[in-house]
Amino acid sequence: MPPHPIGVSAITVTNTDAQSGSLGGAFTYTAATAPAVTSVTPSAGTVAGGTTITIVGTGFVAGSTVTFGGIPSSIVTVNSATFITAVTPPQSVAGPVSITVTSPDSQSGTMGAAYTYSLRPAPTLSTVAPPNGPAKGGTAITLTGSNFLVGATVTVGSARATNVVVASSASITAIAPPGVAGTVPITVTNPDAQAGSIANGFTYTPNPAPTIGTITPADGPIAGGTSLTITGSGFVNGAMVLLDGLVLSGASVVSSTSITAFTPPHIAGAAPLRVMNPDGQSATSTSGFTYKAPPVPTLTGVDPSSGPIAGGGTVTLTGTNFVSGATVMFGAFTATNPVVTNATTITVTAPVGLSGSNAVTVRNPDGQVASMNAAYSYLGAGASVTAVTPDGGALTGGTVVTITGEGFVKGATVTFGSTAATKVVFVSDTELTATAPVGVEGAADVTVTNPSTTPAKLEGAFNYQPAGPANVAVAPTAPGGLSLVVAGTTDLQVLVKAQKFPVAAVYLLDVAKQSWKTYIVGAPASVNTLTSLKATDILVLRR
């Protein structure tokens, strides 16, 4: 079948010799679907008819008719398959009626009780008080007239008034909405769609210009995000806040005297603040808001201060004003995994570096830096041991020794022969202390091993000696307060007990450090710095 208007059509067959035969009314074209009515606006009017309504639905086709309770509308316009306008016909009885849309093919759709006819007269509007108010809206107005119904709406110009209260059939109060300066009509529309208007009912006057009083707080960080409260007057909903030309996010007009907003990022210094109402009027505070740069960081400590050139050790930086997101450089190399614990502490993993002293630099996200020259030394592939003091001790171990050399790092281990020392303490990159383990009589190699580096050995550096009274020197019993004696033992207490007089104190000159080590009988450990001997040490005994 070819396309065809809705309705009855004849069918004709024509042979090639031009003879033909027809059957009139043989085929009827219908709409694709029956029409359906889903909504009607407005849904009420007077029994006099004449109200133009909008019918929304589906399946509407040209030539469709509309009836109101069985009475046809004389003016029907099919705007589209979903939209019809029609004028209500008069009715003799008030009340709800159904609306039916019928296609030319006789298919129809009905919405029951779709429209209500009312006997009430249309409202009239006689006065508006006051007759004017500011364009920002908010003026409380009183309308007088007649035939006002509960549920009536008020329109000022093209905008709906708010807080509409129908006090009586002759009085309505409402709040004027925002508008544009000039005179506009006011319309009261009852729920039955009947309306009454005054053409020049209300005059919008220009809004007063805004003023700025205080800005709180008056300053904040250059990163932005400070919550501002701006007080003043004449603020209007929709007002913009600009800081040095930048529009502030989250601006909210709390009232005509208060606005809140958040500052954007900006360079340090004072930035003028401007409030602009939707009508273009504005106010500016030249001092506005002061952006403050964060305090400059400082770097005061790097611990440890050295490590292997392979990197990998944990380093703790101390200082002030560190900020999350800070980066750390060791010389020209960037440290990995920096963690800003707080404003005074950063932990990092030392990167691979070059042998020698390097500056350590902390850079905050805002670009401010703190640097300490020669703060971290990268050591060679291994350490070296140059001396062990004392150079001997008892076979039973326990001698506390000082190991000197270079290239020591935290975590270094010490062995005497093949046995690990205990209580290894990292003093500096040139000094360790350790407690000698149990050994075998004779010379033992002392070896220092840094983490992940080649061990450093000093051969025969520590001499294990048998302890015992046979080797203990005894000072002469001649009168006098001080006596010199060659120890002959590595055990201090054995030496003291071997004497033939009460020993009050023992003194030893540490030649390398040019300082005296002291043991005073009965004194606390914090006083006694003399804890071990070499058998060859020359001591001063005080009686």
Side-chain angles (χ1 to χ4, degrees):
M1 299 303 300
H4 194 280
I6 294 172
V8 177
S9 174
I11 294 180
T12 300
V13 177
T14 302
N15 283 341
T16 55
D17 60 2
Q19 297 185 88
S20 63
S22 296
L23 179 62
F27 190 82
T28 300
Y29 280 92
T30 64
T33 57
V37 179
T38 56
S39 68
V40 176
T41 306
S43 61
T46 64
V47 293
T51 302
T52 299
I53 67 169
T54 298
I55 302 170
V56 177
T58 59
F60 300 156
V61 296
S64 294
T65 60
V66 179
T67 60
F68 289 71
I71 300 176
S73 170
S74 59
I75 302 175
V76 177
T77 302
V78 179
N79 299 282
S80 69
T82 60
F83 177 36
I84 291 177
T85 57
V87 176
T88 61
Q91 293 278 1
S92 59
V93 179
V97 297
S98 61
I99 293 179
T100 301
V101 175
T102 304
S103 299
D105 62 1
S106 299
Q107 296 188 91
S108 64
T110 299
M111 183 177 182
Y115 187 83
T116 300
Y117 280 95
S118 173
L119 294 175
R120 295 184 181 93
T124 63
L125 183 57
S126 56
T127 64
V128 179
N132 53 56
K136 67 180 181 180
T139 302
I141 57 176
T142 300
L143 313 179
T144 58
S146 63
N147 305 320
F148 300 151
L149 299 180
V150 173
T153 60
V154 177
T155 304
V156 183
S158 59
R160 284 279 188 95
T162 59
N163 299 87
V164 177
V165 176
V166 180
S168 69
S169 63
S171 178
I172 294 177
T173 59
I175 303 297
V180 178
T183 301
V184 295
I186 289 187
T187 301
V188 174
T189 303
N190 280 339
D192 63 4
Q194 298 186 90
S197 298
I198 296 180
N200 298 314
F202 191 79
T203 300
Y204 281 109
T205 58
N207 295 321
T211 65
I212 297 175
T214 61
I215 300 168
T216 307
D219 53 56
I222 60 175
T226 301
S227 177
L228 293 183
T229 298
I230 305 157
T231 61
S233 64
F235 301 150
V236 177
N237 284 334
M240 287 194 307
V241 182
L242 300 94
L243 201 52
D244 200 18
L246 300 174
V247 177
L248 274 63
S249 64
S252 175
V253 179
V254 179
S255 68
S256 62
T257 61
S258 178
I259 296 177
T260 59
F262 294 92
T263 61
H266 194 277
I267 61 173
L273 186 141
R274 182 184 183 193
V275 175
M276 179 181 290
N277 281 340
D279 61 6
Q281 298 188 90
S282 66
T284 300
S285 171
T286 54
S287 56
F289 181 82
T290 300
Y291 281 96
K292 288 188 173 181
V296 177
T298 64
L299 180 59
T300 57
V302 177
D303 183 33
S305 59
S306 62
I309 59 175
T314 298
V315 180
T316 300
L317 313 182
T318 54
T320 61
N321 304 319
F322 298 151
V323 176
S324 180
T327 58
V328 178
M329 302 285 290
F330 282 60
F333 301 94
T334 301
T336 56
N337 305 320
V339 176
V340 180
T341 305
N342 51 49
T344 61
T345 307
I346 298 176
T347 58
V348 296
T349 301
V352 174
L354 298 176
S355 180
S357 296
N358 291 263
V360 175
T361 302
V362 175
R363 181 182 297 274
N364 279 343
D366 61 7
Q368 298 192 90
V369 300
S371 187
M372 179 183 289
N373 292 327
Y376 190 82
S377 296
Y378 279 104
L379 307 176
S384 63
V385 179
T386 56
V388 176
T389 306
D391 59 3
L395 295 175
T396 55
T399 303
V400 177
V401 299
T402 299
I403 304 165
T404 55
E406 63 180 18
F408 302 150
V409 299
K410 281 188 176 181
T413 60
V414 178
T415 57
F416 284 64
S418 60
T419 306
T422 59
K423 300 181 181 178
V424 178
V425 177
F426 173 85
V427 179
S428 70
D429 58 358
T430 61
E431 182 177 329
L432 302 175
T433 62
T435 300
V438 174
V440 178
E441 185 175 357
D445 300 337
V446 176
T447 303
V448 174
T449 305
N450 285 334
S452 305
T453 59
T454 303
K457 180 189 297 184
L458 184 60
E459 296 182 354
F462 189 81
N463 187 35
Y464 278 102
Q465 305 166 4
N471 295 325
V472 177
V474 177
T477 57
L482 299 176
S483 298
L484 293 179
V485 65
V486 178
T489 178
T490 60
D491 191 323
L492 177 61
Q493 296 304 320
V494 170
L495 176 68
V496 171
K497 292 177 182 179
Q499 306 309 309
K500 297 179 180 179
F501 55 83
V503 176
V506 181
Y507 305 97
L508 168 66
L509 177 62
D510 187 331
V511 177
K513 294 185 177 181
Q514 288 294 292
S515 63
W516 285 92
K517 294 183 178 180
T518 304
Y519 172 75
I520 299 176
V521 176
S526 60
V527 174
N528 290 326
T529 58
L530 181 59
T531 56
S532 61
L533 303 175
K534 291 188 293 184
T536 56
D537 282 342
I538 299 176
L539 306 170
V540 178
L541 305 182
R542 181 161 63 84
R543 297 172 183 266

